[in-house]
C-alpha cells in the first residue's frame, strides 16, 4: 500500500490536534534544529523532511489555514491510520515469514547436527568395535606368545642348568658325555665314534638352544610390543569412555541449562504478557479518554463552526445589504452621469453646429481671399509677361538686382503686405530647401500634400510659384 499523498501535519509537528500556538511553535523549533539539513547531512531525505516540517508549521500556525486543514484532517488521519495498519500487517507477515524461515533453518541445522552426531556416533562405535576386536586379538596373541615364552623360558632354565653342569665337567677334565647321568657312569667305556657322535649331538643341541634363545628374545620383544599396543588400546578405550561420560555430563548440563532458560523464558513471557495486558488496559483507558476529549472537541468545534457560520451569514447579509445600497447609489450616480452626458452631448451638438457654421464662414472667406489672391497673381503674372516683352523690345529701364537677375520695376502686390515684420524684413535670399510633408503655402494659401519650399532665413514656406514672387517682393521692398 502506497503512502498517502497528503501529510498529517499534526503528526509531522509531533503535537495533538488540540495543541496551542505556543506548543506548536516550541515543537517546530525543536524539530527544526533536529532535522535541519546541515545537522543531518548523512540522511538523503533531510531536505524533504525539513521542507515538509516548514509547510506543516506554516499551515498549522495560520488560523485560517488551520481551520481549513482541520475540516479535512479526519479523512487524512483515517488514511494514515489505514496505511499504518497495512504497514503493521506487512511487517508482522514479514516477521512471521522470517520466524518460519529461521525455524526451518534451525530445524534443518538441528537435523543436520543430529545426522552428523549420529554419523559421528556410528563412526565412534565402529572405531570402538574395531579397537575392541583389535584388543581381543592382541590379547589372544599376547597370551599365546606368553605361553610360548613360558615354555621357552623353562627350556632355557633346563638348558642353563645343563650348560653349567657341562662347564663344570669341562673344567674338571671329564668329557661332557661321561657325565650325562649316573647310569651312564656305571656303563662300560664307549668307543671313539660314539664319543664323536655324542659331541656332534652336543654341538647341535647348543646350536638349537641358541636358535631358541633368539626366538625367545624375538617373542619377548613382540610380547612387549603387544603389551604396549594393548595398553594403548586400553588407554584409548578409557579415553573414549571418559569422553562419553563427559559428553553425557555436558548433555545433562545443557539440558539443565535449557530447562533453566526455558523456565526463565516462560517467566519472562508471563511478565511480558502481564505488562502488555497492563499497557493494553492503559492504552484502552487513554483511548477512551482521547475519544471523550475528541468528542468534546468535535462538539466544541461544531458549536464554533455553527457560531462562525451564523456570524458569517450575518456578515454576508450585512455585506449584501451594503452592496445593494452601493449598487443603488451607483445606479443613481450612473443615471445622473447619463443625464449629464446627454445634456453635454446636446450642448456639444450645438457647439459643433456653431463651429461648423463658423468653419463654413471661414472657408467662404478663405475661398474669396484665395480667389482675390489668385486674381492678383494672374494680374501680376500678366504684368510680368508684359514687362518681359517690353524688356525684350528694350523699352524698359533696366538695372541689376542683388540676385544677379534682371527684373522690371513692378508695383507692390497687396498679398504680401500682411506678412509678419520679421518675414517682411527678410530678403529671402539663398537656397530654398525642399521640405517633405503636408503644408499650406503662406503666399497663396494653397494646400500641398507632399512637399513645399522653405526660406533658409525666416523659415517661411511657399510653393514653387510663390517663391520667386516672395524673393522679388523682398528685393523690391528694400530697394
Amino acid at each position: 500500500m502506497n503512502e498517502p499523498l497528503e501529510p498529517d501535519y499534526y503528526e509531522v509537528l509531533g503535537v495533538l490536534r488540540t495543541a496551542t500556538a505556543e506548543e506548536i511553535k516550541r515543537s517546530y523549533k525543536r524539530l527544526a534544529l533536529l532535522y535541519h539539513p546541515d545537522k543531518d547531512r548523512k540522511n538523503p531525505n533531510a531536505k524533504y523532511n525539513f521542507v515538509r516540517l516548514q509547510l506543516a508549521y506554516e499551515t498549522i500556525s495560520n488560523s485560517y489555514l488551520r481551520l481549513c486543514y482541520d475540516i479535512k484532517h479526519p479523512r487524512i488521519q483515517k488514511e494514515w491510520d489505514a496505511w499504518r495498519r497495512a504497514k503493521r500487517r506487512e511487517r508482522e507477515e514479514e516477521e512471521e515469514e522470517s520466524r518460519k524461515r529461521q525455524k526451518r533453518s534451525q530445524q534443518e541445522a538441528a537435523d543436520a547436527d543430529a545426522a552428523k552426531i549420529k554419523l559421528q556416533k556410528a563412526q565412534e562405535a565402529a572405531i570402538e568395535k574395531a579397537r575392541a576386536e583389535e584388543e581381543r586379538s592382541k590379547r589372544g596373541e599376547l597370551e599365546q606368545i606368553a605361553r610360548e615364552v613360558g615354555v621357552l623360558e623353562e627350556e632355557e632354565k633346563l638348558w642353563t642348568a645343563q650348560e653349567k653342569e657341562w662347564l663344570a665337567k669341562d673344567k674338571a677334565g671329564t668329557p661332557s658325555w661321561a657325565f650325562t647321568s649316573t647310569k651312564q657312569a656305571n656303563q662300560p667305556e664307549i668307543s671313539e665314534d660314539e664319543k664323536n657322535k655324542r659331541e656332534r649331538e652336543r654341538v647341535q643341541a647348543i646350536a638349537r638352544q641358541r636358535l631358541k634363545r633368539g626366538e625367545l628374545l624375538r617373542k619377548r620383544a613382540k610380547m612387549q610390543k603387544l603389551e604396549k599396543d594393548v595398553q594403548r588400546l586400553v588407554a584409548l578405550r578409557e579415553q573414549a569412555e571418559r569422553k562419553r561420560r563427559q559428553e553425557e555430563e555436558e548433555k545433562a548440563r545443557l539440558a539443565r541449562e535449557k530447562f533453566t532458560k526455558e523456565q526463565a523464558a516462560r517467566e519472562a513471557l508471563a511478565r511480558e504478557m502481564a505488562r502488555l495486558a497492563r499497557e493494553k488496559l492503559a492504552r484502552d483507558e487513554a483511548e477512551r479518554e482521547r475519544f471523550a476529549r475528541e468528542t468534546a472537541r468535535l462538539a466544541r468545534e461544531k458549536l464554533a463552526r455553527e457560531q462562525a457560520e451564523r456570524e458569517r451569514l450575518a456578515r454576508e447579509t450585512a455585506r449584501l445589504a451594503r452592496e445593494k445600497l452601493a449598487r443603488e447609489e451607483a445606479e443613481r450616480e450612473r443615471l445622473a452621469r447619463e443625464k449629464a452626458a446627454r445634456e453635454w452631448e446636446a450642448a456639444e451638438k450645438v457647439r459643433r453646429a456653431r463651429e461648423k457654421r463658423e468653419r463654413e464662414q471661414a472657408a467662404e472667406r478663405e475661398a474669396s481671399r484665395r480667389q482675390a489672391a489668385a486674381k492678383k497673381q494672374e494680374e501680376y503674372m500678366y504684368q510680368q509677361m508684359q514687362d518681359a516683352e517690353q524688356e525684350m523690345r528694350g523699352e524698359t529701364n533696366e538695372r541689376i538686382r542683388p540676385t544677379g537677375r534682371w527684373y522690371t520695376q513692378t508695383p507692390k502686390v497687396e498679398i504680401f503686405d500682411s506678412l509678419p515684420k520679421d518675414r517682411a524684413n527678410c530678403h529671402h535670399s539663398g537656397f530654398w530647401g525642399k521640405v517633405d510633408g503636408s503644408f499650406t503655402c503662406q503666399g497663396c494659401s494653397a494646400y500641398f500634400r507632399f512637399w513645399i519650399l522653405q526660406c533658409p532665413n525666416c523659415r517661411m514656406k511657399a510653393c514653387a510659384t510663390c517663391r520667386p514672387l516672395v524673393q522679388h517682393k523682398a528685393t523690391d521692398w528694400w530697394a
Side-chain angles (χ1 to χ4, degrees):
M1 184 177 181
N2 295 328
E3 185 176 342
L5 297 176
E6 295 183 282
D8 189 352
Y9 290 151
Y10 290 105
E11 185 179 359
V12 171
L13 291 170
V15 297
L16 296 175
R17 189 174 176 183
T18 57
T20 61
E22 186 64 27
E23 293 176 352
I24 293 170
K25 186 176 181 179
R26 188 164 54 250
S27 178
Y28 168 71
K29 287 184 177 179
R30 179 177 58 81
L31 295 176
L33 292 174
L34 183 63
Y35 294 118
H36 197 275
D38 294 339
K39 295 292 185 66
D40 197 8
R41 296 179 182 272
K42 296 182 179 180
N43 188 4
N45 298 325
K47 187 174 181 180
Y48 169 74
N49 294 334
F50 188 71
V51 170
R52 187 173 63 173
L53 179 65
Q54 284 184 326
L55 182 60
Y57 179 69
E58 290 174 0
T59 303
I60 302 302
S61 60
N62 190 318
S63 58
Y64 176 74
L65 295 178
R66 182 178 182 180
L67 180 61
C68 296
Y69 180 77
D70 288 344
I71 295 174
K72 58 181 180 180
H73 181 258
R75 175 181 59 80
I76 297 173
Q77 191 175 15
K78 287 181 181 179
E79 292 177 357
W80 279 95
D81 291 341
W83 179 76
R84 291 193 195 92
R85 287 194 295 271
K87 293 295 286 186
R88 192 182 302 113
R89 285 195 298 270
E90 291 177 1
R91 188 166 56 253
E92 290 175 355
E93 291 174 358
E94 290 177 358
E95 291 176 356
E96 184 66 24
E97 187 66 24
S98 176
R99 284 195 295 270
K100 288 182 180 179
R101 286 196 300 269
Q102 186 177 2
K103 190 174 181 180
R104 283 197 298 269
S105 62
Q106 290 177 356
Q107 185 65 31
E108 291 174 358
D111 295 340
D113 293 340
K116 186 176 180 180
I117 292 170
K118 187 176 180 181
L119 179 62
Q120 186 177 0
K121 286 184 177 180
Q123 291 176 354
E124 290 176 357
I127 292 171
E128 288 179 0
K129 185 177 179 180
R131 287 175 180 173
E133 189 67 26
E134 185 180 2
E135 185 180 356
R136 283 195 298 270
S137 63
K138 295 283 184 182
R139 285 184 181 279
E141 189 176 358
L142 181 62
E143 290 175 358
Q144 183 179 357
I145 290 174
R147 286 194 297 271
E148 292 176 357
V149 168
V151 173
L152 290 174
E153 286 179 351
E154 290 295 330
E155 291 178 356
E156 181 67 21
K157 288 178 181 179
L158 293 174
W159 179 255
T160 302
Q162 192 173 3
E163 270 188 339
K164 288 179 178 180
E165 186 179 354
W166 285 348
L167 289 172
K169 288 180 179 182
D170 287 339
K171 289 179 179 181
T174 305
S176 60
W177 49 266
F179 299 99
T180 55
S181 63
T182 305
K183 187 177 179 178
Q184 290 178 353
N186 296 327
Q187 289 179 359
E189 187 177 354
I190 58 176
S191 64
E192 188 68 26
D193 294 333
E194 186 69 22
K195 289 179 182 179
N196 293 333
K197 181 179 178 181
R198 289 185 179 181
E199 186 66 25
R200 285 193 300 272
E201 290 177 352
R202 177 174 172 270
V203 172
Q204 291 176 356
I206 291 171
R208 285 194 300 272
Q209 189 61 32
R210 287 179 179 176
L211 292 174
K212 286 182 180 180
R213 282 180 180 175
E215 184 178 1
L216 177 61
L217 292 175
R218 287 193 300 273
K219 287 192 178 291
R220 282 178 177 174
K222 187 175 182 181
M223 187 175 66
Q224 290 177 359
K225 184 179 179 182
L226 289 173
E227 287 177 352
K228 289 181 180 179
D229 292 341
V230 170
Q231 290 176 0
R232 178 177 62 80
L233 292 172
V234 170
L236 291 174
R237 180 166 53 80
E238 291 176 354
Q239 183 179 359
E241 188 67 24
R242 286 195 302 272
K243 184 178 179 181
R244 189 180 301 109
R245 285 196 301 271
Q246 289 176 359
E247 288 179 353
E248 290 178 355
E249 290 175 358
E250 184 69 17
K251 190 182 293 185
R253 185 184 65 78
L254 292 175
R256 289 193 300 272
E257 289 181 357
K258 183 179 179 181
F259 177 77
T260 304
K261 289 181 180 178
E262 290 178 352
Q263 184 68 21
R266 284 193 295 271
E267 292 176 356
L269 181 62
R271 289 194 299 271
E272 185 67 18
M273 293 295 291
R275 185 183 65 79
L276 292 175
R278 290 193 300 272
E279 289 181 356
K280 185 179 179 182
L281 290 174
R283 283 197 302 273
D284 293 341
E285 183 66 24
E287 185 66 22
R288 284 193 295 271
E289 293 178 358
R290 188 189 68 79
F291 182 74
R293 289 195 302 271
E294 188 69 16
T295 304
R297 184 187 61 78
L298 291 174
R300 290 194 302 272
E301 289 180 355
K302 183 178 179 181
L303 291 173
R305 283 197 299 272
E306 291 176 353
Q307 181 67 23
E309 184 66 20
R310 286 193 296 270
E311 293 176 357
R312 187 187 65 79
L313 289 175
R315 289 193 300 269
E316 187 69 19
T317 305
R319 184 183 63 80
L320 291 175
R322 287 193 303 271
E323 288 180 356
K324 184 178 179 181
L325 292 173
R327 283 196 301 271
E328 292 175 354
E329 184 67 23
E331 184 67 20
R332 285 192 298 271
E333 291 178 357
R334 186 183 64 81
L335 293 175
R337 284 195 301 272
E338 288 179 355
K339 183 179 179 181
R342 286 193 298 271
E343 293 175 354
W344 179 83
E345 287 176 358
E348 188 69 18
K349 285 181 181 180
V350 173
R351 185 185 62 79
R352 281 197 294 268
R354 187 175 60 252
E355 289 180 355
K356 185 177 180 182
R357 288 193 302 269
E358 291 176 356
R359 281 197 302 271
E360 289 175 354
Q361 293 173 2
E364 290 176 358
R365 289 193 298 271
E366 184 69 21
S368 60
R369 188 184 64 79
R370 288 185 181 181
Q371 288 176 2
K375 185 177 180 181
K376 288 182 180 181
Q377 186 177 0
E378 288 176 0
E379 293 175 355
Y380 178 75
M381 292 301 291
Y382 177 73
Q383 186 66 35
Q384 287 288 329
M385 290 173 65
Q386 288 188 0
D387 290 343
E389 289 176 0
Q390 291 177 5
E391 184 179 354
M392 289 175 66
R393 290 194 298 267
E395 296 178 355
T396 59
N397 295 325
E398 297 177 357
R399 58 178 176 177
I400 299 175
R401 304 297 180 184
T403 57
R405 293 182 59 184
W406 293 92
Y407 290 91
T408 304
Q409 182 70 28
T410 56
K412 297 180 181 180
V413 183
E414 184 182 353
I415 188 171
F416 297 102
D417 294 340
S418 61
L419 291 174
K421 186 176 182 182
D422 55 347
R423 293 184 182 177
N425 296 330
C426 182
H427 290 221
H428 303 299
S429 61
F431 177 75
W432 284 50
K434 181 180 177 181
V435 180
D436 295 329
S438 300
F439 299 97
T440 302
C441 177
Q442 296 179 357
C444 64
S445 299
Y447 179 73
F448 295 90
R449 295 177 58 189
F450 302 103
W451 59 273
I452 201 166
L453 299 174
Q454 181 175 326
C455 176
N457 299 321
C458 65
R459 305 297 179 185
M460 178 180 179
K461 295 177 178 59
C463 60
T465 306
C466 296
R467 181 179 62 81
L469 300 177
V470 173
Q471 289 179 340
H472 174 72
K473 169 69 176 175
T475 304
D476 198 28
W477 183 278
W478 286 100

